[in-house]
Amino acid sequence: MGLDFYPTDVSLLNFKGLAYFNNDNFRDAIPYFEKLLDLGETKPFVYQKLGYAYFKAWEFEKAKAMYKKAIGMEDNNPELYYELGHVYLKDRALDSAQFYVKKSIEVKKPNLASEYETLAGIARQKDKLSETLVYYMLAHEEQPDEPRYFYQICAMKDGLDKNPKESLDCYQSFLNKYRDPHPYFHEIVSKRISELKTEIHFSQN
């Protein structure tokens, strides 16, 4: 009975493949997962299981292809990048192994920039300006390509330190880092740079 009578039964093929897979009989599992793909069961789960089975069978190129198929369908799954990294590691392709393991960390790690920005706003309303600065710095670490966090860091330092030279350096770093920021930021930062240069000039005379 079973697959002898129902050779295209997806549920039975999946059950049989997983039975071999879960008992570490990876070579025996491979034909069942391959058959699932042939029948149109092109799901990330199937590609991942087949990729791992190929990996354990030392068929590295096939394993890489399966994992990349799975990633193409589910690019927010850190396990896929991590396991693909191990395929490259076993195949002694260290740069690629490093890339995919780092990618798994990047995908797995939550981006907390918005949460830190909210905490910065709360701290500012409580007049805790040093704490506000810390939260904006944390937000910037989480999402360094977002110009408003770096701008807020400069603005907070400008207000807290009362050191025109350091404030000027920060704002100039902003313009160097973000070549094409939102027009609002470009205008307000450029204006503040001009003011600080004037302030520094008169303080030296």
Side-chain angles (χ1 to χ4, degrees), residues 35-126:
K35 184 65 174 178
L36 285 171
L37 293 179
D38 290 341
L39 292 172
E41 289 296 299
T42 52
K43 299 176 181 178
F45 167 82
V46 179
Y47 283 121
Q48 182 179 10
K49 293 298 183 186
L50 183 53
Y52 190 81
Y54 280 140
F55 164 61
K56 298 300 285 187
W58 288 69
E59 297 187 54
F60 299 136
E61 294 307 314
K62 288 183 178 180
K64 293 170 192 175
M66 292 302 102
Y67 277 114
K68 288 175 182 178
K69 286 273 191 182
I71 288 170
M73 302 170 72
E74 197 174 68
D75 63 0
N76 62 344
N77 185 340
E79 284 185 7
L80 297 175
Y81 295 102
Y82 183 73
E83 291 176 12
L84 179 54
H86 272 273
V87 177
Y88 278 105
L89 180 61
K90 200 75 170 179
D91 201 24
R92 299 184 180 278
L94 299 184
D95 287 343
S96 294
Q98 184 181 53
F99 172 83
Y100 282 107
V101 173
K102 284 185 174 180
K103 186 68 177 177
S104 75
I105 294 171
E106 178 185 324
V107 171
K108 188 174 184 178
K109 182 183 176 184
N111 187 323
L112 302 176
S114 295
E115 287 79 1
Y116 285 134
E117 183 180 26
T118 300
L119 289 171
I122 294 169
R124 176 175 275 171
Q125 290 187 50
K126 295 170 72 174

Side-chain angles (χ1 to χ4, degrees), residues 20-33:
Y20 282 121
F21 187 94
N22 292 333
N23 283 290
D24 296 338
N25 295 324
F26 299 109
R27 285 195 179 277
D28 291 329
I30 286 172
Y32 294 96
F33 293 126

Side-chain angles (χ1 to χ4, degrees), residues 148-163:
R148 73 176 182 273
Y149 302 138
F150 197 95
Y151 166 74
Q152 291 291 354
I153 290 170
C154 293
M156 294 306 303
K157 286 183 175 181
D158 194 4
L160 283 169
D161 295 342
K162 303 299 182 184
N163 186 322

